[in-house]
Amino acid sequence: MASLTEKIRLLRGLLTGKTAYAGPFFVLVDITRRCNLRCLGCRFHSPQMSTSQTDSSTLPDLSFDLFKKLCHELKAMDTRALILIGDGEPLLHHRIFEMISTAKACGFHTTLVTNGTLLDRDSIQSLFDVQPDAIEVSLWASSAKEYGKNYPGAPLHFFDSVVESVTLMNSLKAKRHLKQPCVILHHPLNRHNFQNIEAFLELALTTKCDGVSFSPFYTWRGALTSSALSPNEEQSLLLALGRIEKRLRFLRLSHNISQTRIRYQIGKCIWHNIPCYIGWIHARVKTDGTILPCNRCDIPLGNLETNSFQEIWNGLPYRSFRSQASTRKGLASLTQQCDCEYCCFIKDNLRIHRLFKWASPFQRHPRKEGLCQKN
């Protein structure tokens, strides 16, 4: 939750239309593009994608020095949270635990997103030593049969291995009376698993997780349409989510069902409904240091190898992106570079829009600086 001072700075920036007076509230950092799975819905490793990396062993990792530089720069900008994720599996990075320790030393709320296959007693102990605030285990299945459909080529016993590892982690956490990390079981939804979300909830309860989360399936501009839900299936899913939401409330497990339902209800063409404010509060850092507005938007706004984050944050490309995305018409013009299908930041966008729409008549309209450009 942003402080009052941060909200005032955010509003001040919004009123200028381009210049940010607050740093990003949270930043997603790609740790590696290497992966040990080929998830059906992965942009980079799905066997159904033309961009699929059949051999990811040679793909570059984020350097530790660059990560450390990023952390210190973001700390100076009062960023609150880092999410360590990747186009691959973060636990494959040989310095991942040092990265988490560095992020925590800088005061960031730190979340690790993992597919869970590399969680064993030793790695769990290492995670407990560096104390991330949250661990999100992404699991596309609630049974070995579903696992086979969603992870082509992966051994089916991986499903049981992940479940056992999550159970072990939560058991050790309870025995040691640790409050952190908060363990969330995350479930991307598609045609192969949406009918069994009750079973997924049971899995979260059996493994004693602190919460569950869900997300719509991305087709990546139609490349994976065969696994997407039909409109009727979406309606069926929304009803099922409503049912388990009541149970989750009773069980007092954290969840993101309200946000998930909004993402489905607004649908694929979010720019028909509200502008995008993500350029004011968030950035994604790729393994080579490239800064993107988010992972669904392929507009490079700078690179940490040549500029500081502060310089990039209010550089011409970032300011141009903010200006263009601030109107529905401008956002619609970015659809060739930004895939806003089922926007994962809809909750943040709606919260800011509800407040800013009352102040927008007072917004200044500075001279146009040009379209977003690659650099």
Side-chain angles (χ1 to χ4, degrees), residues 341-358:
E341 179 183 44
Y342 300 114
C343 174
C344 50
F345 299 110
I346 188 63
K347 184 177 180 180
D348 300 292
N349 275 322
L350 284 173
R351 183 184 293 126
I352 296 172
H353 189 63
R354 288 183 185 124
L355 295 173
F356 180 62
K357 65 181 180 181
W358 301 109

Side-chain angles (χ1 to χ4, degrees), residues 84-101:
L84 308 184
I85 192 166
D87 297 325
E89 168 51 46
L91 286 176
L92 284 171
H93 198 294
H94 71 291
R95 302 188 73 173
I96 182 61
F97 303 115
E98 291 177 83
M99 288 176 161
I100 295 172
S101 180

Side-chain angles (χ1 to χ4, degrees), residues 177-216:
H177 305 288
L178 300 175
K179 293 184 178 181
Q180 296 175 336
C182 175
V183 180
I184 304 296
L185 207 57
H186 178 67
H187 197 41
L189 297 161
N190 63 22
R191 184 165 288 173
H192 306 298
N193 62 23
F194 82 100
Q195 293 178 318
N196 297 313
I197 58 172
E198 288 88 353
F200 187 80
L201 173 56
E202 292 301 326
L203 193 62
L205 293 172
T206 301
T207 56
K208 300 188 183 302
C209 286
D210 299 297
V212 294
S213 63
F214 302 92
S215 62

Side-chain angles (χ1 to χ4, degrees), residues 30-257:
D30 282 328
I31 300 302
T32 180
R33 286 188 63 186
R34 295 182 294 125
C35 198
N36 59 341
L37 292 177
R38 301 187 68 194
C39 304
L40 186 65
C42 178
R43 181 182 183 183
F44 293 100
H45 301 287
S46 171
Q48 296 184 16
M49 292 290 291
S50 60
T51 54
S52 176
Q53 300 286 343
T54 55
D55 179 13
S56 62
S57 60
T58 60
L59 294 174
D61 291 348
L62 179 68
S63 78
F64 179 71
D65 288 341
L66 192 62
F67 179 79
K68 190 161 57 173
K69 172 180 180 287
L70 172 68
C71 285
H72 290 298
E73 290 179 356
L74 290 177
K75 180 181 180 181
M77 297 174 70
D78 295 326
T79 296
R80 290 175 168 267
L82 288 188
I83 301 170
L84 308 184
I85 192 166
D87 297 325
E89 168 51 46
L91 286 176
L92 284 171
H93 198 294
H94 71 291
R95 302 188 73 173
I96 182 61
F97 303 115
E98 291 177 83
M99 288 176 161
I100 295 172
S101 180
T102 299
K104 290 295 297 177
C106 287
F108 299 123
H109 182 283
T110 306
T111 300
L112 173 71
V113 181
T114 173
N115 62 32
T117 58
L118 300 179
L119 289 172
D120 56 22
R121 187 175 289 271
D122 289 341
S123 62
I124 290 169
Q125 180 57 57
S126 295
L127 286 170
F128 286 170
D129 289 342
V130 295
Q131 297 184 322
D133 297 274
I135 296 176
E136 182 178 296
V137 180
S138 180
L139 186 58
W140 293 62
S142 55
S143 68
K145 182 178 179 181
E146 280 184 3
Y147 200 88
K149 293 179 179 179
N150 285 286
Y151 299 88
L156 295 185
H157 68 79
F158 272 21
F159 172 77
D160 292 326
S161 176
V162 171
V163 172
E164 290 169 6
S165 295
V166 173
T167 302
L168 174 62
M169 180 163 53
N170 287 325
S171 174
L172 292 174
K173 177 185 163 186
K175 287 180 180 179
R176 299 175 190 183
H177 305 288
L178 300 175
K179 293 184 178 181
Q180 296 175 336
C182 175
V183 180
I184 304 296
L185 207 57
H186 178 67
H187 197 41
L189 297 161
N190 63 22
R191 184 165 288 173
H192 306 298
N193 62 23
F194 82 100
Q195 293 178 318
N196 297 313
I197 58 172
E198 288 88 353
F200 187 80
L201 173 56
E202 292 301 326
L203 193 62
L205 293 172
T206 301
T207 56
K208 300 188 183 302
C209 286
D210 299 297
V212 294
S213 63
F214 302 92
S215 62
F217 183 79
Y218 307 139
T219 67
W220 298 111
R221 300 189 185 280
L224 302 175
T225 301
S226 61
S227 296
L229 300 182
S230 68
N232 287 339
E233 288 170 334
E234 284 191 7
Q235 291 304 310
S236 175
L237 172 62
L238 287 171
L239 291 174
L241 286 171
R243 290 195 299 270
I244 69 168
E245 185 176 19
K246 296 178 181 178
R247 188 177 177 196
L248 284 165
R249 194 180 304 122
F250 174 77
L251 295 170
R252 296 185 178 180
L253 259 66
S254 68
H255 62 86
N256 71 338
I257 288 181

